[in-house]
mmCIF file of all heavy atoms in Angstrom:
data_model
loop_
_atom_site.group_PDB
_atom_site.id
_atom_site.type_symbol
_atom_site.label_atom_id
_atom_site.label_comp_id
_atom_site.label_asym_id
_atom_site.label_seq_id
_atom_site.Cartn_x
_atom_site.Cartn_y
_atom_site.Cartn_z
ATOM 1 N N ASP T 1 69.360 134.945 109.153
ATOM 2 C CA ASP T 1 70.379 135.835 109.693
ATOM 3 C C ASP T 1 71.498 135.001 110.294
ATOM 4 O O ASP T 1 71.233 133.951 110.899
ATOM 5 C CB ASP T 1 69.793 136.741 110.786
ATOM 6 C CG ASP T 1 69.195 138.014 110.228
ATOM 7 O OD1 ASP T 1 69.342 138.257 109.015
ATOM 8 O OD2 ASP T 1 68.571 138.767 110.997
ATOM 9 N N PRO T 2 72.754 135.442 110.138
ATOM 10 C CA PRO T 2 73.851 134.674 110.748
ATOM 11 C C PRO T 2 73.726 134.678 112.268
ATOM 12 O O PRO T 2 73.473 135.721 112.878
ATOM 13 C CB PRO T 2 75.094 135.416 110.278
ATOM 14 C CG PRO T 2 74.630 136.790 109.904
ATOM 15 C CD PRO T 2 73.226 136.638 109.432
ATOM 16 N N SER T 3 73.896 133.506 112.871
ATOM 17 C CA SER T 3 73.816 133.413 114.335
ATOM 18 C C SER T 3 75.027 132.706 114.923
ATOM 19 O O SER T 3 75.064 132.409 116.120
ATOM 20 C CB SER T 3 72.545 132.666 114.755
ATOM 21 O OG SER T 3 72.538 131.355 114.230
ATOM 22 N N GLY T 4 76.015 132.397 114.129
ATOM 23 C CA GLY T 4 77.233 131.726 114.569
ATOM 24 C C GLY T 4 77.942 131.165 113.367
ATOM 25 O O GLY T 4 77.459 131.279 112.225
ATOM 26 N N PRO T 5 79.086 130.526 113.578
ATOM 27 C CA PRO T 5 79.820 129.941 112.446
ATOM 28 C C PRO T 5 78.965 128.922 111.699
ATOM 29 O O PRO T 5 78.510 127.929 112.267
ATOM 30 C CB PRO T 5 81.028 129.270 113.115
ATOM 31 C CG PRO T 5 81.184 129.970 114.422
ATOM 32 C CD PRO T 5 79.792 130.333 114.855
ATOM 33 N N ASP T 6 78.702 129.205 110.450
ATOM 34 C CA ASP T 6 77.924 128.306 109.586
ATOM 35 C C ASP T 6 76.567 127.952 110.175
ATOM 36 O O ASP T 6 76.048 126.853 109.955
ATOM 37 C CB ASP T 6 78.712 127.022 109.305
ATOM 38 C CG ASP T 6 79.904 127.263 108.385
ATOM 39 O OD1 ASP T 6 79.765 128.097 107.468
ATOM 40 O OD2 ASP T 6 80.954 126.644 108.599
ATOM 41 N N THR T 7 75.965 128.900 110.900
ATOM 42 C CA THR T 7 74.653 128.689 111.505
ATOM 43 C C THR T 7 73.785 129.917 111.236
ATOM 44 O O THR T 7 74.264 131.046 111.300
ATOM 45 C CB THR T 7 74.761 128.453 113.020
ATOM 46 O OG1 THR T 7 75.657 127.361 113.250
ATOM 47 C CG2 THR T 7 73.402 128.109 113.623
ATOM 48 N N TRP T 8 72.512 129.646 110.961
ATOM 49 C CA TRP T 8 71.600 130.728 110.598
ATOM 50 C C TRP T 8 70.341 130.635 111.437
ATOM 51 O O TRP T 8 69.798 129.542 111.646
ATOM 52 C CB TRP T 8 71.216 130.631 109.117
ATOM 53 C CG TRP T 8 72.393 130.464 108.209
ATOM 54 C CD1 TRP T 8 72.975 129.290 107.825
ATOM 55 C CD2 TRP T 8 73.159 131.503 107.590
ATOM 56 N NE1 TRP T 8 74.049 129.527 107.007
ATOM 57 C CE2 TRP T 8 74.189 130.876 106.839
ATOM 58 C CE3 TRP T 8 73.077 132.892 107.591
ATOM 59 C CZ2 TRP T 8 75.116 131.592 106.097
ATOM 60 C CZ3 TRP T 8 73.996 133.609 106.853
ATOM 61 C CH2 TRP T 8 74.993 132.972 106.125
ATOM 62 N N SER T 9 69.861 131.775 111.900
ATOM 63 C CA SER T 9 68.564 131.816 112.576
ATOM 64 C C SER T 9 67.496 132.171 111.553
ATOM 65 O O SER T 9 67.734 132.981 110.646
ATOM 66 C CB SER T 9 68.580 132.843 113.704
ATOM 67 O OG SER T 9 68.803 134.142 113.196
ATOM 68 N N LEU T 10 66.331 131.542 111.686
ATOM 69 C CA LEU T 10 65.214 131.818 110.790
ATOM 70 C C LEU T 10 64.399 132.960 111.393
ATOM 71 O O LEU T 10 63.735 132.798 112.412
ATOM 72 C CB LEU T 10 64.352 130.569 110.609
ATOM 73 C CG LEU T 10 65.095 129.346 110.047
ATOM 74 C CD1 LEU T 10 64.129 128.190 109.830
ATOM 75 C CD2 LEU T 10 65.820 129.685 108.753
ATOM 76 N N VAL T 11 64.478 134.125 110.772
ATOM 77 C CA VAL T 11 63.904 135.350 111.319
ATOM 78 C C VAL T 11 62.378 135.235 111.393
ATOM 79 O O VAL T 11 61.715 134.978 110.395
ATOM 80 C CB VAL T 11 64.301 136.567 110.455
ATOM 81 C CG1 VAL T 11 63.700 137.844 111.041
ATOM 82 C CG2 VAL T 11 65.810 136.679 110.357
ATOM 83 N N GLY T 12 61.852 135.399 112.612
ATOM 84 C CA GLY T 12 60.412 135.353 112.797
ATOM 85 C C GLY T 12 59.860 133.979 113.069
ATOM 86 O O GLY T 12 58.647 133.825 113.279
ATOM 87 N N HIS T 13 60.701 132.955 113.083
ATOM 88 C CA HIS T 13 60.209 131.603 113.352
ATOM 89 C C HIS T 13 59.698 131.528 114.793
ATOM 90 O O HIS T 13 60.382 131.968 115.716
ATOM 91 C CB HIS T 13 61.308 130.565 113.139
ATOM 92 C CG HIS T 13 60.804 129.157 113.076
ATOM 93 N ND1 HIS T 13 60.454 128.445 114.203
ATOM 94 C CD2 HIS T 13 60.557 128.335 112.013
ATOM 95 C CE1 HIS T 13 60.047 127.241 113.850
ATOM 96 N NE2 HIS T 13 60.098 127.147 112.531
ATOM 97 N N PRO T 14 58.487 131.011 115.007
ATOM 98 C CA PRO T 14 57.911 131.031 116.362
ATOM 99 C C PRO T 14 58.706 130.255 117.392
ATOM 100 O O PRO T 14 58.614 130.533 118.591
ATOM 101 C CB PRO T 14 56.523 130.410 116.154
ATOM 102 C CG PRO T 14 56.600 129.661 114.869
ATOM 103 C CD PRO T 14 57.573 130.406 114.023
ATOM 104 N N GLU T 15 59.505 129.295 116.945
ATOM 105 C CA GLU T 15 60.301 128.505 117.887
ATOM 106 C C GLU T 15 61.765 128.911 117.893
ATOM 107 O O GLU T 15 62.607 128.236 118.490
ATOM 108 C CB GLU T 15 60.178 127.017 117.538
ATOM 109 C CG GLU T 15 58.753 126.486 117.628
ATOM 110 C CD GLU T 15 58.638 125.069 117.099
ATOM 111 O OE1 GLU T 15 59.694 124.477 116.762
ATOM 112 O OE2 GLU T 15 57.516 124.556 117.021
ATOM 113 N N GLY T 16 62.092 130.027 117.226
ATOM 114 C CA GLY T 16 63.471 130.495 117.178
ATOM 115 C C GLY T 16 64.398 129.498 116.522
ATOM 116 O O GLY T 16 65.560 129.347 116.920
ATOM 117 N N ARG T 17 63.941 128.857 115.501
ATOM 118 C CA ARG T 17 64.677 127.765 114.871
ATOM 119 C C ARG T 17 65.941 128.259 114.183
ATOM 120 O O ARG T 17 65.987 129.362 113.634
ATOM 121 C CB ARG T 17 63.780 127.053 113.856
ATOM 122 C CG ARG T 17 64.378 125.802 113.250
ATOM 123 C CD ARG T 17 63.314 125.019 112.514
ATOM 124 N NE ARG T 17 63.881 123.931 111.748
ATOM 125 C CZ ARG T 17 63.159 123.078 111.030
ATOM 126 N NH1 ARG T 17 61.837 123.196 111.010
ATOM 127 N NH2 ARG T 17 63.736 122.109 110.350
ATOM 128 N N THR T 18 66.967 127.413 114.205
ATOM 129 C CA THR T 18 68.209 127.685 113.485
ATOM 130 C C THR T 18 68.489 126.543 112.520
ATOM 131 O O THR T 18 67.928 125.446 112.634
ATOM 132 C CB THR T 18 69.398 127.842 114.439
ATOM 133 O OG1 THR T 18 69.586 126.617 115.165
ATOM 134 C CG2 THR T 18 69.179 128.990 115.416
ATOM 135 N N VAL T 19 69.372 126.796 111.567
ATOM 136 C CA VAL T 19 69.739 125.789 110.576
ATOM 137 C C VAL T 19 71.197 126.024 110.198
ATOM 138 O O VAL T 19 71.674 127.168 110.186
ATOM 139 C CB VAL T 19 68.804 125.873 109.344
ATOM 140 C CG1 VAL T 19 68.945 127.220 108.652
ATOM 141 C CG2 VAL T 19 69.048 124.724 108.384
ATOM 142 N N THR T 20 71.922 124.958 109.914
ATOM 143 C CA THR T 20 73.324 125.090 109.537
ATOM 144 C C THR T 20 73.467 125.230 108.035
ATOM 145 O O THR T 20 72.557 124.873 107.267
ATOM 146 C CB THR T 20 74.138 123.874 110.000
ATOM 147 O OG1 THR T 20 73.691 122.722 109.260
ATOM 148 C CG2 THR T 20 73.973 123.635 111.495
ATOM 149 N N THR T 21 74.629 125.709 107.618
ATOM 150 C CA THR T 21 74.899 125.814 106.187
ATOM 151 C C THR T 21 74.835 124.450 105.520
ATOM 152 O O THR T 21 74.288 124.299 104.419
ATOM 153 C CB THR T 21 76.276 126.453 105.950
ATOM 154 O OG1 THR T 21 76.292 127.761 106.539
ATOM 155 C CG2 THR T 21 76.589 126.566 104.472
ATOM 156 N N ALA T 22 75.368 123.440 106.204
ATOM 157 C CA ALA T 22 75.339 122.092 105.637
ATOM 158 C C ALA T 22 73.910 121.610 105.436
ATOM 159 O O ALA T 22 73.588 120.973 104.413
ATOM 160 C CB ALA T 22 76.101 121.131 106.549
ATOM 161 N N GLU T 23 73.037 121.921 106.375
ATOM 162 C CA GLU T 23 71.635 121.525 106.231
ATOM 163 C C GLU T 23 70.985 122.245 105.050
ATOM 164 O O GLU T 23 70.217 121.643 104.273
ATOM 165 C CB GLU T 23 70.868 121.818 107.513
ATOM 166 C CG GLU T 23 71.237 120.881 108.659
ATOM 167 C CD GLU T 23 70.610 121.300 109.973
ATOM 168 O OE1 GLU T 23 70.471 122.533 110.213
ATOM 169 O OE2 GLU T 23 70.267 120.415 110.775
ATOM 170 N N LEU T 24 71.256 123.533 104.919
ATOM 171 C CA LEU T 24 70.688 124.288 103.801
ATOM 172 C C LEU T 24 71.154 123.717 102.465
ATOM 173 O O LEU T 24 70.354 123.534 101.536
ATOM 174 C CB LEU T 24 71.083 125.760 103.898
ATOM 175 C CG LEU T 24 70.451 126.573 105.033
ATOM 176 C CD1 LEU T 24 71.056 127.971 105.060
ATOM 177 C CD2 LEU T 24 68.928 126.659 104.854
ATOM 178 N N LEU T 25 72.438 123.427 102.346
ATOM 179 C CA LEU T 25 72.953 122.890 101.093
ATOM 180 C C LEU T 25 72.375 121.504 100.811
ATOM 181 O O LEU T 25 72.133 121.144 99.649
ATOM 182 C CB LEU T 25 74.481 122.841 101.133
ATOM 183 C CG LEU T 25 75.181 124.204 101.270
ATOM 184 C CD1 LEU T 25 76.692 124.033 101.296
ATOM 185 C CD2 LEU T 25 74.769 125.145 100.132
ATOM 186 N N GLY T 26 72.136 120.768 101.880
ATOM 187 C CA GLY T 26 71.507 119.464 101.696
ATOM 188 C C GLY T 26 70.097 119.593 101.150
ATOM 189 O O GLY T 26 69.693 118.846 100.242
ATOM 190 N N TRP T 27 69.329 120.534 101.692
ATOM 191 C CA TRP T 27 67.979 120.757 101.178
ATOM 192 C C TRP T 27 68.009 121.271 99.744
ATOM 193 O O TRP T 27 67.126 120.943 98.937
ATOM 194 C CB TRP T 27 67.221 121.740 102.070
ATOM 195 C CG TRP T 27 66.713 121.122 103.331
ATOM 196 C CD1 TRP T 27 67.060 121.411 104.612
ATOM 197 C CD2 TRP T 27 65.742 120.069 103.419
ATOM 198 N NE1 TRP T 27 66.388 120.622 105.501
ATOM 199 C CE2 TRP T 27 65.559 119.783 104.795
ATOM 200 C CE3 TRP T 27 65.018 119.340 102.488
ATOM 201 C CZ2 TRP T 27 64.684 118.805 105.257
ATOM 202 C CZ3 TRP T 27 64.142 118.367 102.922
ATOM 203 C CH2 TRP T 27 63.976 118.106 104.300
ATOM 204 N N LEU T 28 69.014 122.071 99.398
ATOM 205 C CA LEU T 28 69.133 122.539 98.023
ATOM 206 C C LEU T 28 69.303 121.377 97.054
ATOM 207 O O LEU T 28 68.822 121.415 95.915
ATOM 208 C CB LEU T 28 70.308 123.510 97.887
ATOM 209 C CG LEU T 28 70.021 125.003 97.970
ATOM 210 C CD1 LEU T 28 71.300 125.801 97.893
ATOM 211 C CD2 LEU T 28 69.061 125.442 96.876
ATOM 212 N N GLU T 29 69.999 120.356 97.487
ATOM 213 C CA GLU T 29 70.180 119.183 96.640
ATOM 214 C C GLU T 29 68.906 118.348 96.562
ATOM 215 O O GLU T 29 68.512 117.889 95.490
ATOM 216 C CB GLU T 29 71.324 118.321 97.189
ATOM 217 C CG GLU T 29 72.702 118.927 97.021
ATOM 218 C CD GLU T 29 73.120 119.003 95.555
ATOM 219 O OE1 GLU T 29 72.675 118.144 94.754
ATOM 220 O OE2 GLU T 29 73.859 119.930 95.204
ATOM 221 N N ARG T 30 68.244 118.154 97.721
ATOM 222 C CA ARG T 30 67.107 117.229 97.779
ATOM 223 C C ARG T 30 65.790 117.874 97.364
ATOM 224 O O ARG T 30 64.970 117.255 96.677
ATOM 225 C CB ARG T 30 66.955 116.665 99.202
ATOM 226 C CG ARG T 30 68.118 115.828 99.681
ATOM 227 C CD ARG T 30 67.801 115.141 100.994
ATOM 228 N NE ARG T 30 67.447 116.063 102.056
ATOM 229 C CZ ARG T 30 68.322 116.693 102.846
ATOM 230 N NH1 ARG T 30 69.615 116.501 102.663
ATOM 231 N NH2 ARG T 30 67.916 117.507 103.798
#
């Protein structure tokens, strides 16, 4: 879910983890 500019919250994550768009695109490559 969007949680800020280019930032996403992982819904239901026990630690309330977030990830950026850049991080997601990096994982898509790797």
Side-chain angles (χ1 to χ4, degrees):
D1 272 353
S3 60
D6 289 323
T7 305
W8 311 88
S9 62
L10 301 183
V11 180
H13 194 282
E15 299 172 5
R17 187 167 171 179
T18 61
V19 63
T20 67
T21 300
E23 289 172 325
L24 290 175
L25 297 180
W27 282 116
L28 264 177
E29 289 293 330
R30 296 189 302 275

